[in-house]
Amino acid sequence: MMLLAGAAGFVGTCGRFLVVKWSSAMYHGAFPLGTFLVNAIGCFIIGLFFSLLEKSNVSAYGLDVMLITGFCGSFTTFSSFAYDMWILGSKGDWATFILYLVLSVALGILLVWAGRTIIR
């Protein structure tokens, strides 16, 4: 299973690289278009993959590990975050939804700052 995830991860990483390179060549503004596109595309793809896998019930063959953990996980982890948020919202678990949202974004930004501060 780990080799399936790794192989699909390679493909996802290459896809991320190509989308970011393409967007950098097409757009030169301050908005991080490449990352935005990767995250948006990844959210759509993880929704497709989860739904297709649920309908086909083929998780025993490792397709879930390959497509979701491997490909989507390396293409963007934001897609996994967005899907987790969707699951919490669909269950009506609004307290956990808000906690997870605020902590993930605020802590993520804080930790980027901390890592940069330590290296400086």
Side-chain angles (χ1 to χ4, degrees):
M1 290 296 177
M2 188 170 58
L3 291 175
L4 285 174
F10 174 77
V11 175
T13 298
C14 291
R16 179 183 186 92
F17 175 81
L18 292 172
V19 169
V20 170
K21 276 293 207 191
W22 173 81
S23 67
S24 294
M26 302 303 279
Y27 173 75
H28 304 289
F31 186 80
L33 183 64
T35 301
F36 177 78
L37 288 175
V38 164
N39 287 335
I41 293 165
C43 289
F44 179 71
I45 289 173
I46 203 169
L48 289 176
F49 286 164
F50 264 112
S51 295
L52 288 171
L53 290 169
E54 283 175 347
K55 285 186 178 211
S56 64
N57 197 20
V58 294
S59 62
Y61 300 108
L63 284 177
D64 55 342
V65 170
M66 189 172 72
L67 296 174
I68 294 165
T69 303
F71 180 80
C72 288
S74 65
F75 190 69
T76 173
T77 56
F78 184 78
S79 59
S80 297
F81 168 74
Y83 190 74
D84 289 342
M85 295 297 297
W86 182 83
I87 291 291
L88 291 169
S90 69
K91 290 180 179 177
D93 189 354
W94 299 113
T96 305
F97 179 97
I98 292 168
L99 179 67
Y100 186 45
L101 175 65
V102 171
L103 284 178
S104 294
V105 173
L107 186 62
I109 293 167
L110 179 65
L111 290 172
V112 168
W113 171 82
R116 291 180 54 86
T117 300
I118 288 169
I119 298 302
R120 284 187 188 164

